[in-house]
Amino acid sequence: MTAEPLHGEETDAVYDRAGFGAPVPRGPRPALVVVDLTRGFTEPAFPSGSDLTAEVAATSRLVAAARAGGVPVVWTVISFSPAEADGDAVAWLRKAPGMRALRHGSAAVDLDPRLDARPTDPVVVKKGASAFHGSSLATLLTSLRVDTAVVCGATTSGCVRATAVDAVQSGFDTLVVAEACGDRARGPHDAALFDLQAKYADVVTLDDAVTYLDDPFRKADR
C-alpha cells in the first residue's frame, strides 16, 4: 500500500466535501507565540536539535514586526527538573527519552541567542508538547485580551501542532507561519502543516504574518 500524496485532486475533493479549510478570522489583538526555539532544538550539536537557522531568522522577522505593532511576544520552553528528567513519572519521557536532556539550567533550554527575547516577555515553561497543557498560557492570553494566536517554532509536527490545536480549543483564532516552523524531517513538517490548514488554523506565509503583526490600522486599537 502506497501513501497518498498530501495534495491532489482526490485529496482536495475529500477535504472539501468534509467542509474543512475555511479561512480563519484575524482579530485586532494578536499575540505571537514562539514555541520551543531553544538551543536544544535549533542547534544540531544537541541530541534533540537540528539546524533551524532559517526558521530562527524568519522568527526574528516576526518578533520585530510584533514589537513594531505593539503585539505581545510569548516564548515557550521545555524544561524538566532533575527529578523529572531522571525519574519515571513523566510519561512523555518514557516515549521520548532523548528529551531528558532538556534539564533546568542546561544550555539546551536556553532560548536561541539569535532571537530578540527580552526580560519583559512572558516565558511559559512546559512539560509536554502543547504550550497550553498544564500551563497558564490560556489565562495569560485572555488577560492580554488576545483574540488571535500567531504560532511559530519547533517542531512543526510536535509542539507547534499541539500548541496550535490547543489554541483553537482554547478559543483563539490561530495562524501558523510556515517559514518560521521547523522539524527534523520534511515529511512530518509538510504533513503537520497540511493537517493544521485543513482543520485548525490558517497556515500563512512569513510576509503575510509580518504585515498582519505590524498593521498601522490595528495599532491604534490596542
Side-chain angles (χ1 to χ4, degrees):
M1 179 178 179
T2 58
E4 184 181 351
L6 290 180
H7 295 283
E9 291 183 7
E10 183 177 350
T11 300
D12 290 343
V14 169
Y15 277 76
D16 287 345
R17 181 175 180 273
F20 290 131
V24 169
R26 301 185 185 191
R29 301 188 65 86
L32 177 63
V33 180
V34 183
V35 179
D36 299 352
L37 286 185
T38 55
R39 295 181 62 195
F41 288 105
T42 64
E43 298 180 18
F46 291 92
S48 56
S50 54
D51 183 4
L52 298 187
T53 299
E55 291 80 3
V56 168
T59 299
S60 293
R61 283 190 59 196
L62 293 174
V63 172
R67 306 275 189 220
V71 171
V73 179
V74 180
W75 308 86
T76 84
V77 302
I78 300 171
S79 184
F80 297 105
S81 69
E84 291 166 333
D86 296 333
D88 196 44
V90 181
W92 191 24
L93 296 182
R94 297 198 290 272
K95 180 64 178 178
M99 307 295 280
R100 295 181 187 273
L102 303 175
R103 303 168 68 100
H104 294 346
S106 71
V109 303
D110 290 340
L111 288 168
D112 192 296
R114 295 169 289 185
L115 294 165
D116 178 25
R118 301 180 181 180
T120 52
D121 296 334
V123 178
V124 174
V125 179
K126 62 194 185 73
K127 311 291 184 179
S130 170
F132 287 89
H133 179 72
S135 82
S136 61
L137 180 55
T139 301
L140 171 65
L141 296 181
T142 299
S143 70
L144 293 170
R145 294 193 294 141
V146 167
D147 50 37
T148 307
V150 180
V151 179
C152 65
T155 60
T156 319
S157 61
C159 296
V160 170
R161 185 186 185 282
T163 297
V165 171
D166 275 1
V168 175
Q169 295 180 145
S170 299
F172 303 102
D173 293 313
T174 304
L175 309 180
V176 176
V177 187
E179 296 99 316
C181 294
D183 214 314
R184 298 178 187 89
R186 188 71 192 190
H189 170 84
D190 289 343
L193 291 183
F194 176 88
D195 194 56
L196 286 168
Q197 170 65 36
K199 302 174 187 172
Y200 305 105
D202 274 0
V203 176
V204 301
T205 66
L206 177 61
D207 288 343
D208 187 7
V210 164
T211 299
Y212 171 55
L213 292 171
D214 185 16
D215 182 345
F217 296 102
R218 189 182 41 69
K219 276 190 252 185
D221 186 58
R222 297 191 70 85

